[in-house]
Amino acid sequence: MNPDATAGALTAPVGDIAATGLGGAAAPDMSIMGLFMQADWVVKLVVILLLLASFWSWAIIIDKLRRLRRVQVQADQFEEAFWSGNSIDDLYDRIQARPDHPLALVFVAAMREWRRATERLAVPGAALATGLQERISKVMRVALNRELDGLERYLGFLATVGSTAPFVGLFGTVWGIMNSFSSIAISKNTSLSVVAPGIAEALFATALGLVAAIPAVIAYNKLSSDVGRFQGRLEGFADEFSAILSRQVDERRS
């Protein structure tokens, strides 16, 4: 019997078995898409929810930033026309059909009430004049609150995302770790190839929760501050315009 042939017969199957064993142990896909596809349905639901919350938050942020910038520019232009010394009646006639920003809407609401009252009463008495001032103040307050509601709309969603998204991501993390321990118990194998996918998808859920929450919190604080400053500007204009109309009421009484 040829010893070389015998050795070849013994070593060849061992080499084939080793190759087969190495080739059959496929490495897990650790890409983001791979982790998502391998994840449990609960983790998938958490990831989808956080992605939707993040996309919607960014849509709100971009829309609010653009709108606040636009109304600030329009308010500057309106105040320049208002304090230019020209007649406020001419200004009202020019913009009453299409007031397109909060300052103009407050002005138009007050002037509409003023015109309505002065056209019916040639010389209003003291009681009527006081009532007119109160009505003008009320209509300006209603218009102001309505515009502020529009500017503040959906800011509550940013606050909600900022406060809850990390906990939603943490829930996905806990669930993924539970799955990892379940895999260890079932396979009785503590190797990294068994534990790594579950840990990775768990950490991915946590990271996604922070990605959704951090911009939402920053944007909420900035937008709330900007809306608050614009609210002060609106209230200041309403007070100044109320004082102007009050002087005109006094002039009509004298």
Side-chain angles (χ1 to χ4, degrees):
M1 186 175 183
N2 190 351
D4 294 336
T6 305
L10 291 174
T11 56
V14 173
D16 292 342
I17 293 171
T20 305
L22 292 174
D29 187 359
M30 301 298 289
S31 66
I32 292 177
M33 184 58 66
L35 291 174
F36 176 77
M37 297 305 297
Q38 297 168 22
D40 184 81
W41 68 270
V42 175
V43 179
K44 287 181 179 178
L45 184 62
V46 167
V47 169
I48 293 172
L49 183 63
L50 290 173
L51 284 174
L52 291 176
S54 181
F55 289 151
W56 185 240
S57 296
W58 276 108
I60 293 172
I61 292 168
I62 294 171
D63 177 70
K64 291 298 178 183
L65 288 174
R66 293 177 60 185
R67 185 175 181 187
L68 283 169
R69 188 179 297 114
R70 184 174 66 251
V71 297
Q72 290 285 2
V73 172
Q74 291 171 330
D76 291 339
Q77 296 172 350
F78 174 80
E79 285 192 328
E80 183 179 355
F82 182 84
W83 297 111
S84 63
N86 297 326
S87 171
I88 59 175
D89 290 306
D90 294 339
L91 179 61
Y92 171 72
D93 292 334
R94 189 168 69 250
I95 69 172
Q96 64 169 326
R98 287 191 305 172
D100 56 353
H101 59 91
L103 220 60
L105 285 163
V106 172
F107 169 75
V108 167
M111 283 298 295
R112 187 176 292 122
E113 186 64 28
W114 168 261
R115 286 274 185 95
R116 205 174 287 157
T118 54
E119 286 173 359
R120 294 178 181 175
L121 300 172
V123 182
L128 292 174
T130 302
L132 175 59
Q133 287 180 248
E134 291 177 355
R135 289 197 302 273
I136 290 174
S137 297
K138 286 181 180 179
V139 297
M140 282 196 293
R141 176 59 58 182
V142 170
L144 188 149
N145 289 336
R146 187 184 301 117
E147 293 306 307
L148 288 176
D149 287 341
L151 291 175
E152 293 174 346
R153 188 175 301 158
Y154 302 124
L155 291 185
F157 180 81
L158 295 180
T160 301
V161 171
S163 60
T164 61
F167 296 102
V168 175
L170 182 60
F171 172 74
T173 297
V174 172
W175 194 272
I177 292 174
M178 288 172 55
N179 287 337
S180 296
F181 282 117
S182 298
S183 299
I184 293 173
I186 293 171
S187 63
K188 297 180 181 180
N189 186 357
T190 59
S191 66
L192 190 62
S193 62
V194 175
V195 179
I199 298 296
E201 69 188 37
L203 295 177
F204 176 61
T206 300
L208 198 56
L210 294 176
V211 167
I214 292 173
V217 171
I218 295 174
Y220 175 78
N221 292 332
K222 173 180 172 43
L223 293 172
S224 296
S225 177
D226 291 346
V227 171
R229 284 196 297 270
F230 192 72
Q231 178 181 358
R233 185 175 185 178
L234 280 175
E235 290 175 346
F237 172 77
D239 291 340
E240 290 175 336
F241 190 45
S242 180
I244 292 173
L245 294 180
S246 178
R247 284 195 296 269
Q248 292 197 13
V249 168
D250 293 339
E251 290 174 1
R252 285 176 176 268
R253 289 173 54 192
S254 59

